[in-house]
Amino acid sequence: MEVQGKIKMIGETQTFGSNGFRKRELVVTTEEQYPQHIMVEFVQDKTDLLNSYQVGQAVKVNINLRGREWVNPQGETKYFNSIQGWRIEAAQAAEGNNAPPVAPTEAFEPATNLNEEDHDDLPF
């Protein structure tokens, strides 16, 4: 899955626990009728992927949805979701114009050999 938009915020790398778990948050604002502010987590060695990006830059972020279950001390089961990024690239490089150019309509001659009686010549 992927999220495209402009970077709204890049957080600092945070380190947790004795094993040195690292996490860094990125907020991407989508560019659609109702823009969404999507928070994406980058963890461990993926936190360094954000070093060369800045606020306002258009990006494409490849993500995985993660979910986990947790039972609190009272025995209640809770569920948590997260969006985890694993690749990010500048949107200009990601979109690339691979489509062939379309000729303007003036480049085509109008059809003049239409036979009104042969309007239903489809084979099915």
Side-chain angles (χ1 to χ4, degrees), residues 29-41:
T29 301
T30 62
E31 297 175 334
E32 52 195 343
Q33 183 177 358
Y34 301 105
Q36 302 296 307
H37 306 288
I38 309 294
M39 198 272 292
V40 181
E41 298 177 341

Side-chain angles (χ1 to χ4, degrees), residues 64-81:
N64 290 326
L65 295 177
R66 297 282 184 226
R68 63 183 180 93
E69 179 181 86
W70 176 68
V71 180
N72 70 14
Q74 293 77 31
E76 298 170 321
T77 302
K78 305 280 184 173
Y79 296 92
F80 297 92
N81 297 319

Side-chain angles (χ1 to χ4, degrees), residues 12-116:
E12 295 296 321
T13 301
Q14 301 171 323
T15 304
F16 301 93
S18 59
N19 61 358
F21 177 81
R22 296 186 310 151
K23 178 175 101 168
R24 193 170 184 189
E25 296 175 343
L26 169 80
V27 175
V28 175
T29 301
T30 62
E31 297 175 334
E32 52 195 343
Q33 183 177 358
Y34 301 105
Q36 302 296 307
H37 306 288
I38 309 294
M39 198 272 292
V40 181
E41 298 177 341
F42 286 78
V43 297
Q44 298 299 75
D45 60 329
K46 302 295 184 193
T47 60
D48 296 333
L49 295 176
L50 302 178
N51 291 342
S52 59
Y53 293 92
Q54 54 193 331
V55 172
Q57 191 171 0
V59 293
K60 178 175 93 172
V61 182
N62 293 89
I63 61 168
N64 290 326
L65 295 177
R66 297 282 184 226
R68 63 183 180 93
E69 179 181 86
W70 176 68
V71 180
N72 70 14
Q74 293 77 31
E76 298 170 321
T77 302
K78 305 280 184 173
Y79 296 92
F80 297 92
N81 297 319
S82 63
I83 301 171
Q84 206 168 78
W86 54 273
R87 181 170 59 187
I88 182 171
E89 55 188 308
Q92 294 80 8
E95 291 172 4
N97 192 1
N98 296 334
V102 177
T105 55
E106 299 86 38
F108 298 99
E109 292 183 28
T112 57
N113 60 349
L114 295 177
N115 185 345
E116 292 297 323

